[in-house]
Amino acid sequence: MSDLRETPLTGLHKALGAKMTGFAGYEMPLQYGLGVMGEHLHTRDKAGLFDVSHMGQVLVRHEAGYGGAAQAMERLVPVSLMGLGEKRQRYGFFTNEAGGIRDDLMLTNRGDHLLVVVNAACKADDIAWMREGLPDCEVVEVTDRALIALQGPKAVDALAPIAAGCEIMKFLDTGIFTSDYGELWVSRSGYTGEDGFEISVPEAQAEPLARALLLHEAVEPVGLGARDSLRLEAGLCLYGQDIDAETTPVEAGLSWAIQKARRRGGEREGGFPGEEVILDQLENGVARCRVGLRPEGRAPMRAGTQVFGSETGGEAVGQVTSGAYGPSIEAPMSMGYVAASHASAGTTLYGEVRGKRLPVRVAEMPFTPANFKR
């Protein structure tokens, strides 16, 4: 793995006995001693600590302050940023001219500028895209900070002694905290469906902060394996797998992230790449859409499994994009895209596994209820 990049926490992962793997160009922990299922259940019950330092952190500034940056960024995303309150965070995505998703991201109003968090695999392209599309803004990649996610119902108990005041934050609130580990940029968010925080910390303080959090009795380190099953149980998309440049936000079931102001008739209608495709789909629907799938029996249906409308014959009506065993629901679970005519919850379809078609039921997502701090 010599060609892979390390994060400020790579040494800690190895010291803790993590099984390492390559992901998005980085050497990352796949799992620790608890194993994937143990780490998953521990996060749902107490708190899991994740290294997400491979993700990109980017500051977008405009001479007119936040309003200028937000107005400019709305040229690239179908999300309302002019309507985003100070110290609040919002989910969004970059789109292309065909309405496909270039990347999904988190955007924060930091009072006089935007903080953008993007996926690791898309980081370089996203930064180039912003610099090209926002010539009136200063786009600065943050390269001297790590990013830690602390997720689970006990996360607040572990972080509050370090970042006093974080306990009063609600879901998608953000704040800057002075701590023994330097200035912490904290958001009450994450990607597991659990309450918790994402914490940007100065690179040199990342390992001391992680070790301090791990001293709390509720906190265990968690790797990519459990992160994937947690986000799938929560019905959340993984970029490059469940959403990509060929998938529109409407097909992906992400219409909720496009606020009224950016839709037809809204005060800032359109003006983003792919607007004609996306606005038309919002009004008239789509031919295929992302759904949850619950296979019967114990065998998961993995990514790439073809889905049919009948047990024998006929053309495929869809395909699985993510599939795994759900430790919390004690059953296999999948998500994928199927023809809209076959997308109603409760519909029985058939996934082809090793040449045999097995029944699978279209199900509502999330598979596990969200536990956000409202």
Side-chain angles (χ1 to χ4, degrees):
M1 288 192 263
S2 59
D3 57 337
L4 295 174
R5 298 175 65 180
E6 296 185 348
T7 78
L9 294 175
T10 298
L12 177 61
H13 301 319
K14 293 179 178 177
L16 294 174
K19 179 180 179 181
M20 305 296 286
T21 188
F23 180 77
Y26 286 80
E27 187 179 13
M28 300 294 292
L30 178 63
Q31 64 179 75
Y32 298 84
L34 284 178
V36 173
M37 185 172 292
E39 292 168 20
H40 178 116
L41 293 173
H42 184 88
T43 302
R44 290 265 183 258
D45 185 48
K46 294 181 179 176
L49 185 146
F50 305 76
D51 180 9
V52 288
S53 302
H54 56 311
M55 301 183 78
Q57 303 178 66
V58 185
L59 304 177
V60 179
R61 293 190 174 93
H62 188 281
E63 62 181 9
Y66 176 77
Q71 188 173 29
M73 184 64 90
E74 286 193 0
R75 299 197 295 261
L76 301 184
V77 298
V79 173
S80 172
L81 295 174
M82 298 290 285
L84 180 62
E86 186 172 343
K87 297 182 180 179
R88 290 287 293 166
Q89 190 177 58
R90 179 162 282 171
Y91 177 77
F93 23 77
F94 291 132
T95 50
N96 60 31
E97 292 299 332
I101 301 172
R102 294 178 61 106
D103 192 13
D104 63 340
L105 53 146
M106 298 300 293
L107 303 122
T108 298
N109 176 350
R110 299 245 299 192
D112 59 358
H113 65 278
L114 268 167
L115 170 63
V116 186
V117 178
V118 301
N119 283 302
C122 303
K123 183 163 50 178
D125 285 346
D126 285 346
I127 292 170
W129 177 246
M130 283 187 276
R131 286 177 175 156
E132 178 184 347
L134 307 172
D136 48 342
C137 293
E138 180 187 33
V139 177
V140 180
E141 181 182 8
V142 178
T143 58
D144 58 354
R145 301 182 74 88
L147 194 61
I148 293 170
L150 187 65
Q151 299 282 289
K154 302 293 186 184
V156 66
D157 297 336
L159 185 59
I162 293 171
C166 72
E167 63 273 17
I168 65 172
M169 297 170 68
K170 293 183 171 58
F171 183 53
L172 298 180
D173 279 350
T174 71
I176 296 176
F177 295 82
T178 300
S179 79
D180 292 343
Y181 307 95
E183 185 178 90
L184 305 181
W185 304 349
V186 178
S187 62
R188 196 154 195 168
S189 58
Y191 216 62
T192 61
E194 289 297 327
D195 181 26
F197 303 88
E198 290 194 342
I199 309 154
S200 174
V201 54
E203 184 177 84
Q205 294 296 325
E207 183 169 333
L209 173 61
R211 287 187 179 277
L213 291 168
L214 288 167
L215 284 176
H216 193 282
E217 60 181 4
V219 181
E220 291 286 346
V222 179
L224 291 175
R227 184 170 174 81
D228 192 56
S229 58
L230 287 159
R231 69 91 192 164
L232 180 52
E233 273 191 349
L236 300 171
C237 298
L238 177 63
Y239 189 80
Q241 189 161 315
D242 305 300
I243 51 176
D244 56 28
E246 306 297 322
T247 309
T248 73
V250 186
E251 291 172 326
L254 302 174
S255 302
W256 56 267
I258 304 174
Q259 286 75 31
K260 186 177 178 181
R262 307 305 311 279
R263 301 187 180 204
R264 281 192 177 139
E267 56 194 71
R268 297 190 307 286
E269 170 187 327
F272 50 83
E275 64 170 289
E276 291 186 8
V277 174
I278 294 170
L279 296 182
D280 180 74
Q281 290 183 347
L282 283 170
E283 287 193 336
N284 300 310
V286 291
R288 62 166 192 154
C289 53
R290 182 172 63 94
V291 296
L293 297 165
R294 290 290 299 270
E296 295 184 9
R298 302 288 289 178
M301 291 181 183
R302 306 286 185 183
T305 301
Q306 296 287 304
V307 177
F308 296 81
S310 63
E311 195 168 5
T312 58
E315 298 291 325
V317 299
Q319 181 170 304
V320 172
T321 53
S322 284
Y325 184 79
S328 301
I329 62 174
E330 298 182 331
M333 58 185 175
S334 299
M335 70 168 71
Y337 288 83
V338 301
S341 56
H342 292 72
S344 298
T347 301
T348 297
L349 302 174
Y350 297 87
E352 192 164 273
V353 180
R354 293 186 289 277
K356 187 176 182 180
R357 294 189 187 180
L358 303 175
V360 58
R361 178 172 47 85
V362 177
E364 300 281 358
M365 289 190 287
F367 299 110
T368 298
N371 190 31
F372 302 134
K373 176 72 173 179
R374 300 290 186 181

